[in-house]
Amino acid sequence: MRINKFLYFGDFITIPAALAFFVYSAFAASGLAAALPYFAGLFGGLVVWTLAEYWIHRIAYHHWPVLSDLHDRHHEAPKELIGIPSFLSSGIVITLGYGPFFAFWPRFADGFVSGALIGYAVYMIAHHATHHWRIEPGQLLYAARVRHMAHHYHDEANFGIITGFWDWVFGTTGRRRRRDHFAGA
Ligand SMILES: [Zn+2]
Ligand SMILES: [Zn+2]
């Protein structure tokens, strides 16, 4: 679905607000004692996000009904603002990032969902940047841009946006040699 800018960029309101809420939730409840479980959770949430991002892209965006139609559209028209409304996707990240842990380890849950939200935000910014920003060799997102442009030419490889690590782990790393020729690395 082609969506308007408010829905496409709406996460820039919901994610900072949610992060402020979870930081407050952790440290207002437990003070400095929250720091260890919170930051352990934050790290875990970030790492798990990168893995989730890989599989969401590889399976859901490329094979599930509705989502794969939307994603095909993105492959054909990479600069169009296509996606599901951001409030829906950040709501899913919050539910899945917080729900499994909060009942028995609430400070870890505050951190984990924060890490997942930061990962999700970085993913969205990085993906948007690969298509819309001029990124030169040596700049921070250059590797992500090269990796993702190759994915747009060959959609069996390079599903990771933030990192190529999981592509390496699961054997889907690919490199574009020429426009019409693709070889696994
Ligand atoms: Zn793309
Ligand atoms: Zn894709």
Side-chain angles (χ1 to χ4, degrees), residues 49-63 71-72 74-75 123 126-127 130 143-144 146-175 182:
W49 166 264
T50 63
L51 180 63
E53 176 209 295
Y54 174 88
W55 284 107
I56 290 167
H57 186 184
R58 182 169 172 182
I59 299 298
Y61 284 6
H62 279 273
H63 298 286
H71 194 67
D72 281 351
H74 166 66
H75 271 256
Y123 154 79
H127 181 238
T130 62
V146 170
R147 199 166 53 234
H148 190 60
M149 291 308 105
H151 171 74
H152 270 258
Y153 283 103
H154 190 291
D155 61 12
E156 298 289 302
N158 295 3
F159 296 100
I161 300 288
I162 295 179
T163 169
F165 177 73
W166 298 112
D167 283 292
W168 176 74
V169 169
F170 297 115
T172 51
T173 302
R175 187 171 292 131
F182 186 87

Side-chain angles (χ1 to χ4, degrees), residues 58-140:
R58 182 169 172 182
I59 299 298
Y61 284 6
H62 279 273
H63 298 286
W64 285 6
V66 183
L67 290 176
S68 61
D69 292 340
L70 284 177
H71 194 67
D72 281 351
R73 191 87 194 269
H74 166 66
H75 271 256
E76 283 157 22
K79 286 190 193 295
E80 258 185 44
L81 304 186
I82 292 169
I84 50 175
S86 57
F87 299 106
L88 193 63
S89 35
S90 48
I92 293 169
V93 174
I94 289 170
T95 308
L96 295 181
Y98 192 62
F101 308 110
F102 86 99
F104 52 94
W105 215 6
R107 302 294 75 85
F108 180 86
D110 290 326
F112 190 90
V113 71
S114 301
L117 281 168
I118 291 168
Y120 170 58
V122 170
Y123 154 79
M124 282 191 306
I125 293 166
H127 181 238
H128 185 81
T130 62
H131 290 298
H132 292 267
W133 297 357
R134 176 183 288 278
I135 303 169
E136 305 291 347
Q139 289 180 334
L140 181 64

